[in-house]
């Protein structure tokens, strides 16, 4: 049984605000107080009244400071709560320093992003970190300071303002599972400050760490085995899920909650629109479990989100939870947390399935996994992506594999072989990341273009191989653009940047091969983006076309329900999007050869004659449909009013 929430007086805390603000804030508090209180009561039973009052005081302070232009944005988005789910949304993710050197330099690159159609920019970690190694910025040493080599808070604020005038929102990482071992909280804890020791999970001997380890996994078995690190200065074992210099926070301590509530509101007031909740699955620990996906994670996010909804309703949460589909839906809210947690969550499964289908030239597993995949709750959506800054782990369930006649372990083994280039005939170039001898897992690093075969084709001066690789890249992107969700492009993929082996000569990165696919933006190559005779131009213009069609096609809005068809041809995936303005049929050929769909496929379908939005003209479905290697068809009714 959950503790019941008690009556909390809070009106007195608003007295310092002007009357109009009091009214706005009261209405929002009335709307979201129950969410806040229930979240807090679930995690900190018995403390909810005092904690709720403390949260209201915090919200009043930040609301008073919220700039006018952001208050207007709050109003605008309250009027259009699906703003981030519309078909004209397109994300892009990059490292500031690798894309534009600095935050002010980035302002000069906004035209490029606008040309591509970008409306949402995720800048990889940019807060002050410990000196390298720092996990690509995910070891934050000061949450209120921008990395000095990138600029200042003022630069970030200016950039955010500039971006907003172009309709581009800003997403920042919020690393809330851990801080750098050099963060002042950790320094104080190490020095024995009892209050700050409570910010972390510290143990005098191995009894509890050993008990927890029974059920814990290792995220970096290769370079950071185990989940605890001995800290000689304070003679304690410290919980360190990731690297030994990333100290896990103790969210059972309400002080940690308040630190992050304060940080969220602080950054929201600088113009941040979306917080990427990094490694959110890990923040609550429970003995006897793998300490991921615990219900308290959702209660905490619910409370944080209520705080954000009250002060800055324009702001969204995006969960980075790379977990099984059954667990993933909870990050968008289920059960008592329904409609109360994150707005977006990464669709890791789709990314994995696209690479799997490309390797096997077979879409049946993808179709099976997508059919079983939960739909997002009302007004939430998946973030779809083909590549990101992390490795690819072969998250394919044994049950899905079995359903299409495959063995899960054997297929995962095949994918690792295929993408590390050792499978006979594979033209993929990737490296194994974190081989785990215990489980046999081999995750993969490498850029989309290199994994799709472009590196090998260019090396061999194989023009038709390059054409096929480009077609694979465009097909993969078409799937993430067409699937429903907020699609996010990974920097450089739009001009087919190859993997970058320079990281090996950089001592700060050499031991982490994820830097293989974190190249510097090649602006010279980007100059070729309009040249249809050159690889960058073919990819960029191909993507532009897909994006432009998507932008004007309502059926691609994330909330459009969809079904994946049974395809008579195993290499084809067929997704039907069912919108009131008309059905859209997306057909994807995952094979490197032409294929054919007989007319009977469409006998129960929506219409006999179709128009392809991607330029193939009119098609009579009754006579069947031919597809070229890796071809994509986005079909609508040829006679919309018929
Ligand atoms: C997330 C990041 C990853 C990082 C980890 C630890 O999964 O995407 O790059 O290593 O969190 O912060």
């Amino acid at each position: 049984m959950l503790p019941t929430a008690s009556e909390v007086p809070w009106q007195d805390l608003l007295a310092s605000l002007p009357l109009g603000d009091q009214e706005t804030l009261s209405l929002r508090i009335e709307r979201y107080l129950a969410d806040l209180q229930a979240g807090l009561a679930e995690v900190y039973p018995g403390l909810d009244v005092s904690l709720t009052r403390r949260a209201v005081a915090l919200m009043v302070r930040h609301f008073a400071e919220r700039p006018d232009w952001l208050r207007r944005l709050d109003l605008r988005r309250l009027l259009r709560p699906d703003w981030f789910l519309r078909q004209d949304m397109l994300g892009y993710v990059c490292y500031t320093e690798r894309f534009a050197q600095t935050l002010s330099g980035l302002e000069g690159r906004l035209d490029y992003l606008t040309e591509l159609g970008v409306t949402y920019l995720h800048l990889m970690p940019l807060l002050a970190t410990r000196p390298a190694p720092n996990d690509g910025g995910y070891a934050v040493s000061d949450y209120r300071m921008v990395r000095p080599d990138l600029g200042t808070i003022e630069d970030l604020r200016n950039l955010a303002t500039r971006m907003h005038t172009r309709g581009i929102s800003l997403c920042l990482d919020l690393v809330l599972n851990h801080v750098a071992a050099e963060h002042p909280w950790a320094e104080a804890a190490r020095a024995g400050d009892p209050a700050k020791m409570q910010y972390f999970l510290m143990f005098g001997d191995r009894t509890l760490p050993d008990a927890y380890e029974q059920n814990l996994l290792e995220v970096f078995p290769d370079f950071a085995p185990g989940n605890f690190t001995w800290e000689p200065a304070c003679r304690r074992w410290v919980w360190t899920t990731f690297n030994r210099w990333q100290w896990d926070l103790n969210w059972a301590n309400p002080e940690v909650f308040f630190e992050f509530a304060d940080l969220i509101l602080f950054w929201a007031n600088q113009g941040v629109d979306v917080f990427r909740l990094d490694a959110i699955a890990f923040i609550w620990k429970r003995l006897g479990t793998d300490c991921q996906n615990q219900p308290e994670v959702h209660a905490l996010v619910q409370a944080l989100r209520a705080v954000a909804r009250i002060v800055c309703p324009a702001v969204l949460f995006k969960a980075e939870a790379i977990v099984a589909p059954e667990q993933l839906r909870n990050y968008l809210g289920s059960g008592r947390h329904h409609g109360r947690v994150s707005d977006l969550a990464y669709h890791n499964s789709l990314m994995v399935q696209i690479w799997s289908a490309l390797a096997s030239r077979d879409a049946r597993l993808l179709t099976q996994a997508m059919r079983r995949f939960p739909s997002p709750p009302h007004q939430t959506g998946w973030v779809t992506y083909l590549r990101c800054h992390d490795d690819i782990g072969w998250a394919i369930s044994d049950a899905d594999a079995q359903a299409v006649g495959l063995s899960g372990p054997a297929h995962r083994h095949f994918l690792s072989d295929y993408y590390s280039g050792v499978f006979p005939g594979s033209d993929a170039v990737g490296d194994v990341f974190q081989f785990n001898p215990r489980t046999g897992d081999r995750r993969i690093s490498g850029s989309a273009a290199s994994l799709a075969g472009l590196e090998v084709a260019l090396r061999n001066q194989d023009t038709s191989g390059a054409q096929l690789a480009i077609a694979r890249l465009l097909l993969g992107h078409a799937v993430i653009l067409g699937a429903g969700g907020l699609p996010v492009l990974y920097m450089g993929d739009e001009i087919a940047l190859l993997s970058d082996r320079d990281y090996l000569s950089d001592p700060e990165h050499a031991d982490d091969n994820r830097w293989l696919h974190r190249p510097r933006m090649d602006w010279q190559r980007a100059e070729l983006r309009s040249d249809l005779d050159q690889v960058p131009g073919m990819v960029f213009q191909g993507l532009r076309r897909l994006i432009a069609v998507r932008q004007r096609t309502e059926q691609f809005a994330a909330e459009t329900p969809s079904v994946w068809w049974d395809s008579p041809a195993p290499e084809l995936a067929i997704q039907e999007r069912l919108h009131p303005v008309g059905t859209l049929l997306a057909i994807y050929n995952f094979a490197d050869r032409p294929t054919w769909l007989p007319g009977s496929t469409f006998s129960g379908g929506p219409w006999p004659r179709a128009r392809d939005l991607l330029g193939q003209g009119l098609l009579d479905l009754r006579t069947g449909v031919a597809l070229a290697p890796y071809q994509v068809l986005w079909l609508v009714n040829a006679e919309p009013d018929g």
Side-chain angles (χ1 to χ4, degrees), residues 95 124 135 138-139 173 175 178 219-220 242-243 246 276 278-279 320 322 389-390 514 518:
Y95 290 88
M124 292 295 290
D135 189 19
Y138 288 104
D173 279 275
V175 187
H178 45 263
V219 179
F220 298 137
F242 293 88
N243 289 289
Q246 286 166 305
R276 173 185 180 275
D278 181 65
E320 190 249 346
I322 308 304
H389 69 288
D390 279 328
R514 288 178 297 174
R518 298 171 183 175

Side-chain angles (χ1 to χ4, degrees), residues 486-538:
L486 170 54
V488 175
L489 307 182
Y490 185 58
M491 188 211 85
D493 287 348
E494 74 279 12
I495 50 166
L497 282 191
L498 301 179
S499 291
D500 174 12
R501 296 200 177 264
D502 278 1
Y503 82 96
L504 287 167
S505 50
D506 180 345
E508 294 191 0
H509 300 150
D511 65 349
D512 184 343
N513 71 21
R514 288 178 297 174
W515 288 95
L516 194 58
H517 52 262
R518 298 171 183 175
R520 285 186 186 77
M521 184 59 176
D522 184 341
W523 287 106
Q524 251 174 328
R525 196 175 161 87
E527 288 295 308
L528 303 174
R529 66 186 180 275
S530 301
D531 186 341
L532 288 173
D533 293 325
Q534 306 264 2
V535 173
M538 293 180 216

